[in-house]
Amino acid sequence: MAGKANGSDGGDWSFLADVDNRALNEGFKNFGKFGDRNFTGNNMTLKNCDKWLKEAGVIGKVITTTDTSIAFKQVVGNNDKVITFEKFKTFLFKLALRASKEAPQEEIIKIVEKLQLKLEPSTSGTTSAMKTNVIDRLTDTSKYTGSHKERFDAEGKGRGKEGREDIPSKTGYVTGFNKDAPKS
């Protein structure tokens, strides 16, 4: 194993016989397509690699984003921006070597197990609808006064154009005629 550590194949993966390669490949595809319009189905950017590694808890005190950047460039070269699944395994092996030079096999098993627990990207930190007392106060139609309260019915529902404009009934043959007015 130590002899193959510096090779381009990323080492011998036979010790990971019990690892479900399909699950790792599924996670690779899910994180690869996250936010990437150019996703072809078999590649991933460094940004998405870092996202997966962070969410899985691999990136921390021992392995940093600097380590991932260095390992990524070692595997794909300086000109490529994406990594294939086969090169991704080599990338993981290089990270395991950075984390533990004495026992990279144990380290890669830990990394793969963590990655298999997190196969779907999360959207934490995204903008969500704000629901505070300010919004409740602004949308409470019982507090509206003047002509604005005419825009809502008794239940607080908007009346649409009927609440904003005076629409003439257009019933009658004379402009001032009101058919419901009492006759004198």
Side-chain angles (χ1 to χ4, degrees), residues 12-38:
D12 180 17
W13 280 69
S14 61
F15 65 93
L16 289 174
D18 58 333
V19 170
D20 186 8
N21 240 355
R22 287 178 293 138
L24 195 62
N25 196 5
E26 176 188 340
F28 180 84
K29 287 182 179 180
N30 289 339
F31 276 88
K33 69 181 171 187
F34 186 78
D36 188 7
R37 286 186 250 176
N38 300 324

Side-chain angles (χ1 to χ4, degrees), residues 151-163:
R151 295 175 57 192
F152 301 93
D153 62 11
E155 296 174 1
K157 302 269 188 211
R159 292 173 51 197
K161 189 173 182 179
E162 181 182 296

Side-chain angles (χ1 to χ4, degrees), residues 7-76:
S8 62
D9 63 343
D12 180 17
W13 280 69
S14 61
F15 65 93
L16 289 174
D18 58 333
V19 170
D20 186 8
N21 240 355
R22 287 178 293 138
L24 195 62
N25 196 5
E26 176 188 340
F28 180 84
K29 287 182 179 180
N30 289 339
F31 276 88
K33 69 181 171 187
F34 186 78
D36 188 7
R37 286 186 250 176
N38 300 324
F39 180 69
T40 61
N42 59 353
N43 58 14
M44 184 187 302
T45 62
L46 174 61
K47 176 185 68 114
N48 288 358
C49 285
D50 283 349
K51 179 176 177 55
W52 191 11
L53 294 170
K54 281 179 190 173
E55 288 186 14
V58 175
I59 291 181
K61 292 183 179 183
V62 179
I63 299 175
T64 64
T65 54
T66 304
D67 295 328
T68 61
S69 296
I70 292 169
F72 191 87
K73 288 298 178 185
Q74 285 176 346
V75 173
V76 300

